Amino acid sequence: MSAFIEGMKATAKKCPQRVAFPEGEDEIIMRAAATCAKEGIAFPVLVGNEAHLRDLCVERNIDAETFEFADTADEAYFTTIVERYLALPDTILPAGMLRASMADPLYFAMALTALGDTDVTFAGITASTGDVVMAGQIMVGLAEGVESPSSVGFFDISACGAIPADLLAFGDSAICVNPTAAELACIAVSCCDTFADMTGEIPRCALLSHSTDGSARNDLAEKVVQALACARRMRPDLTIDGEFQLDSAILPQVAARKVKRESAVAGKANVVIWPDLDVGNIAVKCVQIFGACPADGPFLQGFRKVVSDCSRGASENDVVNNVAVSVVRAAALKQRRR
Amino acid sequence: MTYEEMEPQLISLIAKIRNMDASSISSETPVSVVAPKSLLMVAINAQIEGTLGIAIPIREVMNARTIGDVVQLAIDHQ
């Protein structure tokens, strides 16, 4: 387990949050949820047919009292949640479609999180990332100013020695295929907020390119230049700069040569933003394979509340770790919005 | 409603929403042609309820590959 995840678990235990699990029928999810409760990481809420879930607890020798249940088979409770969700000011979908959709535990769980009855919706072991993202986008909604969901990951670079830092956050390596300048700005803003929520540190965010400060002039570099302007307009409170090549962003000696102006980010970025998914996906694999640096994530971001996705091949341990990260983020989000 | 009754109604509704020529849409038309972005399909689904009174769960309509699949879903949920 990386030091980063160990830290997340320790922090989560100080501020456990209510986590909705719409896939509690899956044994890995059920066992991971039980572990989260036992270790004080989260308060798990299993969403679905309570009687069936309790039967599964007996079969699996798991204490059902470990969990709270959001029983979608309880018609009165189900109707109450639908009506409360319909009463939300931003709900624009028609009642019939919502009611039909919320019969699916994934959508019901998202509604609980949108209502504040839970703080996180955690899914992905049976649902695809696309399903989770779509349900999150429709039911929970996106954070103010954010145009699309994205993801953030973390390299544990403590052992690599290239720069005096333990963590480097990166986005987006999983969701946005070919972001426009505006979408790239949203990715940067979301990554900064998630980084701050997870680490408590001030993000210094570099928008990456094959160009540093106009060293190349073409459409690819121009997209990043426009993204920078957009991000600064969106969130002037954040420290975001570019466009930088990776070495200009994270190596002080290279930044000193290539960046001929004041920059709070050049040479000391702790968050880097890839210009597109090809770059992001390949870069992460290069770091993992050739740099032997572990990477944690990707973690979904950009929603109004925390929506988390796990790999369909996730182990119980993977799920527990991911839930811990989600809990830390949810607690920080509440703090940020006070 | 039968498939033969539902299909033209649904195609007409989709064509109106998307400002397309209804004769360019058939049961074989991929959903991605009428709804290049997924959220457009959600909007179409909302209109199906508003106009035809049929509520199709979002996740099911998102898995539809063709307009014919959407027609079948509307029949299944009427």
Side-chain angles (χ1 to χ4, degrees):
Chain A
M1 180 171 24
S2 68
F4 171 69
I5 293 295
E6 278 194 44
M8 287 290 113
K9 286 174 92 170
T11 304
K13 290 175 187 177
K14 296 179 196 166
C15 55
Q17 303 288 300
R18 293 165 60 79
V19 178
F21 292 96
E23 297 167 320
E25 290 187 7
D26 182 275
E27 185 165 357
I28 288 178
I29 290 292
M30 187 179 271
R31 290 198 181 282
T35 300
C36 287
K38 187 175 152 196
E39 295 188 8
I41 291 170
F43 303 117
V45 179
L46 299 192
V47 180
N49 183 310
E50 179 174 349
H52 178 56
L53 288 165
R54 283 184 176 274
D55 286 343
L56 289 172
C57 286
V58 169
E59 267 177 45
R60 293 166 181 169
N61 203 26
I62 297 172
D63 181 3
E65 301 317 306
T66 308
F67 308 118
E68 190 180 322
F69 293 91
D71 188 3
T72 54
D74 178 339
E75 185 57 37
Y77 170 68
F78 181 86
T79 298
T80 301
I81 297 298
V82 170
E83 286 173 357
R84 283 177 57 206
Y85 186 85
L86 280 167
L88 289 176
D90 294 338
T91 298
I92 55 169
L93 296 180
M97 185 169 129
L98 270 173
R99 195 179 171 89
S101 300
M102 284 168 64
D104 180 336
L106 178 63
Y107 278 76
F108 194 88
M110 297 286 183
L112 293 177
T113 296
L115 288 167
D117 290 9
T118 52
D119 306 301
V120 176
T121 291
F122 189 99
I125 207 140
T126 52
S128 67
T129 297
D131 282 341
V132 176
V133 168
M134 183 57 56
Q137 208 165 340
I138 292 169
M139 301 298 288
V140 174
L142 298 179
E144 194 175 329
V146 172
E147 285 190 15
S148 70
S150 59
S151 76
V152 66
F154 290 80
F155 291 128
D156 179 347
I157 55 173
S158 52
C160 86
I163 54 175
D166 293 333
L167 274 186
L168 180 67
F170 56 87
D172 170 12
S173 298
I175 306 291
C176 299
V177 175
N178 190 13
T180 62
E183 287 166 342
L184 202 58
C186 291
I187 292 169
V189 165
S190 294
C191 284
C192 286
D193 283 341
T194 308
F195 178 87
D197 285 347
M198 288 168 78
T199 66
E201 293 176 24
I202 295 172
R204 296 183 298 276
C205 177
L207 298 184
L208 298 186
S209 172
H210 62 285
S211 164
T212 291
D213 272 1
S215 62
R217 293 187 192 278
N218 51 51
D219 289 347
L220 294 181
E222 182 58 25
K223 180 178 93 167
V224 181
V225 170
Q226 288 179 17
L228 175 65
C230 185
R232 284 176 167 172
R233 275 195 308 272
M234 278 174 74
R235 291 284 299 278
D237 58 304
L238 293 172
T239 303
I240 304 177
D241 205 351
E243 81 290 8
F244 295 143
Q245 292 156 302
L246 178 63
D247 51 0
S248 303
I250 63 173
L251 299 177
Q253 63 275 29
V254 174
R257 287 202 312 272
K258 290 190 182 181
V259 182
K260 305 293 185 192
R261 57 175 174 86
E262 287 291 318
S263 170
V265 176
K268 36 187 180 299
N270 50 22
V271 180
V272 295
I273 307 300
W274 319 120
D276 62 52
L277 190 58
D278 274 343
V279 172
N281 193 275
I282 294 166
V284 171
K285 291 179 190 341
C286 277
V287 170
Q288 288 176 307
I289 295 168
F290 300 114
C293 290
D296 290 304
F299 304 107
L300 291 182
Q301 60 180 8
F303 300 98
R304 263 192 215 146
K305 303 273 182 80
V306 177
V307 172
S308 294
D309 175 54
C310 68
S311 157
R312 277 181 276 187
S315 66
E316 182 185 325
N317 206 44
D318 291 335
V319 172
V320 171
N321 293 344
N322 199 335
V323 169
V325 169
S326 306
V327 162
V328 171
R329 292 175 59 196
L333 187 65
K334 281 182 188 171
Q335 192 68 28
R336 187 155 41 96
R337 286 183 178 163
R338 278 214 187 111
Chain B
M1 224 183 278
T2 65
Y3 190 101
E4 288 68 32
E5 289 165 337
M6 184 71 75
E7 188 204 38
Q9 290 206 43
L10 210 88
I11 286 176
S12 170
L13 185 153
I14 292 171
K16 192 171 170 187
I17 294 166
R18 298 293 294 129
N19 202 25
M20 294 169 70
D21 179 358
S23 65
S24 69
I25 305 171
S26 73
S27 279
E28 286 70 44
T29 302
V31 162
S32 56
V33 167
V34 303
K37 294 212 163 198
S38 303
L39 287 175
L40 279 172
M41 202 55 226
V42 177
I44 290 171
N45 198 28
Q47 276 300 313
I48 290 173
E49 178 174 343
T51 305
L52 300 176
I54 299 171
I56 304 173
I58 295 168
R59 203 165 172 185
E60 289 184 31
V61 86
M62 297 309 292
N63 285 331
R65 291 281 169 259
T66 65
I67 297 305
D69 291 342
V70 180
V71 173
Q72 191 57 54
L73 282 171
I75 290 169
D76 292 344
H77 287 279
Q78 64 180 331

